[in-house]
Amino acid sequence: MTANVTARAGPSDPAQALSDAALLELSRRKPERFGEIYDRYVAEIHAYLGRRLDRQAADDLTAEVFLAAFKKRETFDSGRGEVRAWLYGFATNLIALHRRAETRRLAALQRSAGVHRAPEDGHEERVVTRVDAVSAQGRLAAELRALSDGDRDVLLLSALGELSHEEVAQALDIPYGTVGSRLSRVRKKLRAALGSVNPLNGGTDG
């Protein structure tokens, strides 16, 4: 599916660049200016979808995210948050329609942890590091599969999308406190299962 949104070059002077919210407001009167929102965030949204699903799905769904946002640009309220988090909300809604694809991807990552190709270079230390990383990836995939959809969305918006608690709350339309409690619970579970090898430790809000 191809969005009917054309990328446009922004102003040559960065100091004259409009904020996301101002640009989205302008696009209500001048639809072609929405292309600048697309330019600013298409790579980021595509990368997030690719990590949640796969490259092919990201190619297909990225256009749908921006098409949905374009159609609903009149509903954006700058008083409730930022354009970036608003776009991640559309991405999350589309991921929800492809849960089976995400589950299959996590299952494949989990299975791949048990398949180690014999190295040809003979560098044992490098090999051990590589095998440990694959094993950790497999264990992480298993833990992510076990999470509820809501907990997984909160965790991955924070860890992969690098959204703040406030942005996650906006993207999912849930209370700020719910984001904090879910992240705390999920991270505690992952630390117990994976320890120091957990690549999703941390986050923008601690």
Side-chain angles (χ1 to χ4, degrees), residues 113-126:
V115 180
H116 306 307
R117 181 173 298 177
E120 298 178 356
D121 55 19
H123 297 299
E124 288 81 1
E125 185 175 344
R126 186 184 307 170

Side-chain angles (χ1 to χ4, degrees), residues 4-12 23 26-27 30-42 70:
N4 295 320
V5 177
T6 304
R8 304 288 185 184
S12 57
L23 189 56
L26 179 60
S27 76
K30 298 182 177 181
E32 68 277 7
R33 297 300 297 271
F34 188 83
E36 293 173 49
I37 294 290
Y38 177 92
D39 287 344
R40 291 179 184 184
Y41 291 105
V42 62
F70 177 77

